[in-house]
Amino acid sequence: MRDIAISTAAFCLWDIGPERKLNICKDLGFNHIVIAFSTLKMLHQFASSPKLCEKLTQFNNVMIHAPWCGINYKNNKATKDVFAHLETIVQTVKIDAVIFHFDCIKDWSQFRHCSFPYYIKNPNHASWQTFDEALHQHGFDSVLDINRSIRFENYIDKYLDHHEKNIKAIHVSGFIDELGRTPIIESGQMELLNKVKQVNAPIIIEGLFSPGDFQGIREEIKVIQENVYR
């Protein structure tokens, strides 16, 4: 399907393992995926399984979402372990890039000798000014999470105006105060999809779907197609 991908983070509420998640993505017709590892443990388990790494080769485009829970990227063992496990995976399958959360990065020097391409996802907690300064200083490519860009500071227009050419993917989810992260079809924030029509980057579905809600995913695809690609 044209420029629409899905992140396995969309299945966080489903009590299933990584192999099942990948099979579901394929069965739904996705050729472009993001395999998300919220913790170092999840990444280690995946990288330690040649079978799981090999399954990624069935997709045309693959991004990896590096761990973001309980980790700070700096000169420490956890950072070295993450990079080593990522190296193991990229030796098996060609990836487009690894996505890192801006909030987790404490020492940019750790990325100087990175052997794989990487993108930085806009912050949950750091200010727009801090993120904007880092974009200018380090010149990295980024992932625009539309949900994050409006929840704490409404900076999506500044982001698009100043850094559109460096946006390499767009994470799409909605947000409802009492529910948290949702599919955008549930939050009804279609105006956010209209804002990113002009960006030449794949749309990645990242809202949380209820277990077994395959129809909800299909409806999310349709909404994105209608609001972004028409």
Side-chain angles (χ1 to χ4, degrees):
M1 59 191 71
R2 182 188 166 195
D3 288 328
I4 301 178
I6 192 167
S7 170
T8 56
F11 306 119
C12 285
L13 302 179
W14 303 33
D15 187 18
I16 57 176
E19 183 173 9
R20 177 66 177 137
K21 292 176 184 178
L22 294 177
N23 288 339
I24 289 172
C25 293
K26 198 64 180 176
D27 291 344
L28 285 168
F30 289 99
N31 289 312
H32 185 166
I33 67 160
V34 175
I35 179 81
F37 305 105
S38 59
T39 65
L40 175 55
K41 180 180 179 181
M42 288 177 64
L43 174 61
H44 169 69
Q45 290 175 338
F46 194 98
S48 300
S49 169
K51 179 182 178 182
L52 287 174
C53 294
E54 182 65 27
K55 281 192 76 68
L56 289 178
T57 63
Q58 67 185 314
F59 297 94
N60 295 337
N61 298 89
V62 176
M63 283 188 271
I64 297 173
H65 202 150
W68 62 90
C69 291
I71 190 166
N72 289 315
Y73 291 101
K74 56 184 181 179
N75 186 14
N76 59 16
K77 183 179 184 300
T79 298
K80 291 179 173 62
D81 286 346
V82 167
F83 278 52
H85 294 322
L86 291 171
E87 291 282 2
T88 297
I89 296 174
V90 302
Q91 287 173 10
T92 300
V93 60
K94 181 181 181 299
I95 64 161
D96 295 344
V98 177
I99 301 168
F100 292 90
H101 280 211
F102 180 76
D103 289 320
C104 298
I105 299 173
K106 307 304 177 185
D107 180 0
W108 288 97
S109 68
Q110 302 306 304
F111 292 81
R112 286 177 187 161
H113 305 294
C114 217
S115 64
F116 44 79
Y118 63 89
Y119 305 148
I120 306 300
K121 187 173 180 178
N122 56 304
N124 246 348
H125 306 295
S127 69
W128 161 251
Q129 181 179 349
T130 300
F131 183 60
D132 184 45
E133 289 173 355
L135 281 164
H136 285 294
Q137 180 179 354
H138 299 286
F140 52 75
D141 291 324
S142 67
V143 172
L144 165 58
D145 183 317
I146 60 174
N147 183 331
R148 291 179 172 203
S149 69
I150 64 163
R151 279 172 56 198
F152 305 105
E153 295 178 69
N154 191 351
Y155 58 78
I156 188 169
D157 291 333
K158 295 177 183 177
Y159 197 161
L160 293 170
D161 288 345
H162 299 160
H163 304 287
E164 179 183 334
K165 68 180 186 301
N166 294 111
I167 295 173
K168 301 302 180 182
I170 301 166
H171 282 191
V172 168
S173 64
F175 191 85
I176 299 174
D177 286 341
E178 60 271 24
L179 297 177
R181 179 161 55 96
T182 69
I184 202 160
I185 195 170
E186 289 185 22
S187 69
Q189 296 165 296
M190 304 311 172
E191 72 280 1
L192 296 179
L193 295 179
N194 291 330
K195 285 180 179 291
V196 299
K197 277 185 175 183
Q198 79 280 10
V199 183
N200 184 24
I203 300 289
I204 299 168
I205 294 172
E206 203 186 37
L208 288 177
F209 292 87
S210 299
D213 187 13
F214 299 104
Q215 185 57 32
I217 297 173
R218 294 186 184 97
E219 290 173 0
E220 191 86 339
I221 294 168
K222 183 179 179 182
V223 162
I224 292 169
Q225 288 173 330
E226 291 176 346
N227 285 273
V228 177
Y229 297 121
R230 287 186 184 175

